[in-house]
Amino acid sequence: MHSAETDEITGLYPLLPQIGVVLERPEVRALLSDLPRGLVLHATRSVLTNLRQEISAGRHTRESLEGALKIFPASVAAAIEAFLLPSLRPVLNATGVMLHTGLGRAPLSEKALANIAAVAGGYCNLELELASGERGRRDSHVESLLLRLLALLLEQKEESFLEQRSVIIVNNCAAATLLVLNSLAEKGEVIVSRGELVEIGGGFRVPEIMAKSGALLRETGTTNRTRVDDYARAITPATKLILRVHQSNFRIEGFSEMPDLEQLVHLADLHALPLFEDQGTGAIVSLEDYGIQHESSLLRSIRRGVSVVAASGDKLLGGPQCGILVGRRDLMEKMRTNPLLRAFRVDKLTYAALEATLLQYLSGQERELPLLKMLALDAEAVRLRCEAMAPALQRTYPGAEVVPAQSLVGGGTTPGASLPSFALSLAHHSLAAHSFSAVLRDQHPPVLARISEDRVLFDLRTVPPESDGILLRVLLELGAHRQEEAVANV
Ligand SMILES: *Cc1c(COP(=O)(O)O)cnc(C)c1O
């Protein structure tokens, strides 16, 4: 096909400069004196490619193309700036989901950040015993601290508690579970209730982890009911371990039954089998103080006498991503000599953040942890912050209002657990809720919010109060800017 239109388009391509010519322009030469030549070339090519695509899409006249070429060096500079921006960056979480796996779960405390900066910028005693000058274990840093803290919270004598137990830190709870199953039950059988063969957020599937560990899954009971007798009947000479998986992200309501942890501990003891619990949430404070019904905690599992327990560091503990294993010393020794531990070990940044977080618990300052602060936040305080922002917003977002909301704990922790909160509810005058929320994600900083009935909800519980101003600025700019655009487009 040949038309006047395609002729016009083809006629535009020769106007595009050769790369060599662009590189000779003084503004681009200035860029070359500061930046690697390859980067400038790459950016120039990408601007040229964009222009070529715009031409072929029929988006340019001769005039508009000449305009674009005039600002070519500025476009190259902008492309370079975009290349040099980290892809991983801070966002404002106005979803009200406190542990959002997509948004990095628990925010770290000031103390944790300061300790990372203090330890990671130079050398540290990661695997060195300062007293003897000998090679040390990297998990010794957290081990005695965590055990001391647990002994304190459990009101147990510290010496015997420390003597009998050990701690291992790995990359995450999934790695911790794999390490336990492989170390304690490879080629043997692991008994688990059918009701616990679950998938927990992010593709953590118990049967798949089990298969990778080399242990054989021995299912018992039914999806909704498993009794302690079911476990007892499943025990054979091949049994190496009893596994309990905390049902963290779902709950079977109604006609369901699972044995208590105590009953399982008793059964395991009777048969001299270890009982391993994948506890998951890592809670060591009572969530009931925060108005959340949550019967499982790392503390409770240890109190009940579980042989080994695994938890995440970045869920209800409020620390960095890691997997925390606490267990009987003889069993933990088997994990310590497993080559998998070498593959799963964490770096100094993680230890620095975890140690600082645990120290906040030990010194009774855990309420300073961002996660616990958010949990403790009174709904009324959230409402007042929303009310303070509403009048300014009502000018650009007619009908903007403050509405009751429910913040979610999230992160695969407490099924459906929520806290009463408040949110700003906005409708953009020219963008539907989905488009508005896409534009919000494209801001600096990106803003994440919730959509409900074609309105966008901003739950301020998960926004640090000191960021209220930033959120307001972004929203006002977006409202005003889009309004002008909408007017211009009429
Ligand atoms: C969250 C969770 C996991 C996965 O933890 P990661 O730290 O994300 O690997 C495993 N088991 C349970 C019970 C969990 O709650």
Side-chain angles (χ1 to χ4, degrees), residues 187-262:
K187 299 198 179 81
E189 289 185 1
V190 175
I191 303 176
V192 59
S193 157
R194 286 204 168 81
E196 295 174 2
L197 295 174
V198 294
E199 172 167 328
I200 295 157
F204 176 90
R205 289 181 155 186
V206 175
E208 287 173 4
I209 294 271
M210 186 81 76
K212 282 288 174 202
S213 76
L216 295 167
L217 178 67
R218 173 86 193 219
E219 301 176 26
T220 191
T222 62
T223 310
N224 62 333
R225 301 195 93 177
T226 307
R227 299 181 187 85
V228 73
D229 283 351
D230 293 319
Y231 285 87
R233 267 197 301 277
I235 295 173
T236 71
T239 307
K240 293 281 184 70
L241 187 76
I242 298 177
L243 167 66
R244 168 61 156 272
V245 183
H246 175 227
Q247 300 181 343
S248 49
N249 58 351
F250 73 103
R251 175 174 280 152
I252 299 173
E253 304 276 357
F255 190 62
S256 72
E257 181 179 345
M258 290 287 159
D260 286 342
L261 215 45
E262 290 86 335

Side-chain angles (χ1 to χ4, degrees), residues 264-273 305 307 328:
L264 284 186
V265 168
H266 183 71
L267 180 73
D269 283 350
L270 211 61
H271 294 266
L273 287 168
S307 323
R328 240 168 58 196

Side-chain angles (χ1 to χ4, degrees), residues 161-414:
F161 193 81
L162 260 74
E163 263 164 35
Q164 292 158 6
R165 286 177 187 77
S166 184
V167 170
I168 290 177
I169 306 297
V170 289
N171 264 308
N172 47 46
C173 191
T177 301
L178 182 52
L179 180 65
V180 173
L181 294 175
N182 179 262
S183 307
L184 302 185
E186 194 178 17
K187 299 198 179 81
E189 289 185 1
V190 175
I191 303 176
V192 59
S193 157
R194 286 204 168 81
E196 295 174 2
L197 295 174
V198 294
E199 172 167 328
I200 295 157
F204 176 90
R205 289 181 155 186
V206 175
E208 287 173 4
I209 294 271
M210 186 81 76
K212 282 288 174 202
S213 76
L216 295 167
L217 178 67
R218 173 86 193 219
E219 301 176 26
T220 191
T222 62
T223 310
N224 62 333
R225 301 195 93 177
T226 307
R227 299 181 187 85
V228 73
D229 283 351
D230 293 319
Y231 285 87
R233 267 197 301 277
I235 295 173
T236 71
T239 307
K240 293 281 184 70
L241 187 76
I242 298 177
L243 167 66
R244 168 61 156 272
V245 183
H246 175 227
Q247 300 181 343
S248 49
N249 58 351
F250 73 103
R251 175 174 280 152
I252 299 173
E253 304 276 357
F255 190 62
S256 72
E257 181 179 345
M258 290 287 159
D260 286 342
L261 215 45
E262 290 86 335
Q263 290 176 289
L264 284 186
V265 168
H266 183 71
L267 180 73
D269 283 350
L270 211 61
H271 294 266
L273 287 168
L275 171 66
F276 166 50
E277 188 189 19
D278 174 12
Q279 194 273 330
T281 74
I284 57 173
V285 291
S286 164
L287 290 180
E288 271 156 38
D289 298 351
Y290 298 87
I292 291 171
Q293 295 301 318
H294 185 59
E295 61 293 349
S296 169
S297 82
L298 183 59
L299 210 57
R300 181 176 180 273
S301 303
I302 296 169
R303 182 186 284 128
R304 295 291 186 268
V306 169
S307 323
V308 180
V309 56
S312 298
D314 54 355
K315 290 184 179 172
L316 290 171
L317 184 72
Q321 178 193 306
C322 62
I324 299 171
L325 281 167
V326 183
R328 240 168 58 196
R329 203 163 262 275
D330 58 321
L331 300 173
M332 299 295 280
E333 213 41 55
K334 294 191 178 150
M335 297 171 216
R336 201 160 267 127
T337 51
N338 187 333
L340 278 180
L341 178 58
R342 177 64 185 77
F344 295 162
R345 77 181 189 189
V346 299
D347 68 345
K348 56 191 174 186
L349 278 68
T350 304
Y351 282 115
L354 182 58
E355 212 180 350
T357 305
L358 294 174
L359 283 169
Q360 281 177 269
Y361 281 98
L362 190 65
S363 61
Q365 308 284 307
E366 73 273 4
R367 291 219 164 210
E368 296 300 312
L369 294 170
L371 178 75
L372 298 188
K373 251 196 220 169
M374 274 188 265
L375 282 171
L377 207 57
D378 195 29
E380 184 57 15
V382 181
R383 189 183 68 78
L384 289 176
R385 284 165 56 202
C386 290
E387 295 288 358
M389 287 164 75
L393 288 168
Q394 275 151 0
R395 268 171 253 137
T396 30
Y397 298 88
E401 56 179 343
V402 179
V403 297
Q406 289 289 325
S407 310
L408 290 172
V409 178
T413 49
T414 47

Side-chain angles (χ1 to χ4, degrees), residues 2-282:
H2 206 77
S3 70
E5 207 173 309
T6 50
D7 272 350
E8 194 182 318
I9 287 179
T10 345
L12 293 178
Y13 290 115
L15 296 181
L16 292 176
Q18 297 292 316
I19 285 242
V21 175
V22 178
L23 294 180
E24 283 308 311
R25 288 181 61 166
E27 304 97 314
V28 178
R29 286 177 69 138
L31 289 173
L32 279 169
S33 68
D34 289 344
L35 293 162
R37 186 179 169 81
L39 182 67
V40 179
L41 264 176
H42 190 64
T44 308
R45 283 206 193 96
S46 90
V47 175
L48 277 173
T49 305
N50 279 349
L51 285 176
R52 223 171 267 127
Q53 279 165 359
E54 286 170 12
I55 294 172
S56 78
R59 287 216 296 271
H60 272 301
T61 60
R62 173 173 281 268
E63 241 177 9
S64 73
L65 184 61
E66 279 170 355
L69 292 176
K70 220 173 266 164
I71 59 159
F72 199 99
S75 306
V76 173
I80 291 174
E81 203 177 315
F83 288 159
L84 294 181
L85 212 62
S87 163
L88 182 65
R89 53 203 161 114
V91 305
L92 280 185
N93 174 12
T95 64
V97 181
M98 288 170 265
L99 291 170
H100 194 304
T101 300
L103 304 182
R105 291 194 188 153
L108 293 179
S109 67
E110 297 279 343
K111 291 240 164 69
L113 297 178
N115 205 33
I116 290 176
V119 163
Y123 299 105
C124 59
N125 58 335
L126 183 60
E127 288 189 359
L128 183 86
E129 277 183 20
L130 289 174
S132 62
E134 311 259 304
R135 178 79 183 259
R137 281 201 279 115
R138 59 177 65 205
D139 45 14
S140 68
H141 301 293
V142 160
E143 180 171 60
S144 45
L145 169 57
L146 180 57
L147 292 179
R148 173 168 305 129
L149 176 63
L150 293 171
L152 208 107
L153 295 170
L154 290 167
E155 295 171 359
Q156 297 207 1
K157 266 261 232 7
E158 191 176 310
E159 296 96 76
S160 57
F161 193 81
L162 260 74
E163 263 164 35
Q164 292 158 6
R165 286 177 187 77
S166 184
V167 170
I168 290 177
I169 306 297
V170 289
N171 264 308
N172 47 46
C173 191
T177 301
L178 182 52
L179 180 65
V180 173
L181 294 175
N182 179 262
S183 307
L184 302 185
E186 194 178 17
K187 299 198 179 81
E189 289 185 1
V190 175
I191 303 176
V192 59
S193 157
R194 286 204 168 81
E196 295 174 2
L197 295 174
V198 294
E199 172 167 328
I200 295 157
F204 176 90
R205 289 181 155 186
V206 175
E208 287 173 4
I209 294 271
M210 186 81 76
K212 282 288 174 202
S213 76
L216 295 167
L217 178 67
R218 173 86 193 219
E219 301 176 26
T220 191
T222 62
T223 310
N224 62 333
R225 301 195 93 177
T226 307
R227 299 181 187 85
V228 73
D229 283 351
D230 293 319
Y231 285 87
R233 267 197 301 277
I235 295 173
T236 71
T239 307
K240 293 281 184 70
L241 187 76
I242 298 177
L243 167 66
R244 168 61 156 272
V245 183
H246 175 227
Q247 300 181 343
S248 49
N249 58 351
F250 73 103
R251 175 174 280 152
I252 299 173
E253 304 276 357
F255 190 62
S256 72
E257 181 179 345
M258 290 287 159
D260 286 342
L261 215 45
E262 290 86 335
Q263 290 176 289
L264 284 186
V265 168
H266 183 71
L267 180 73
D269 283 350
L270 211 61
H271 294 266
L273 287 168
L275 171 66
F276 166 50
E277 188 189 19
D278 174 12
Q279 194 273 330
T281 74

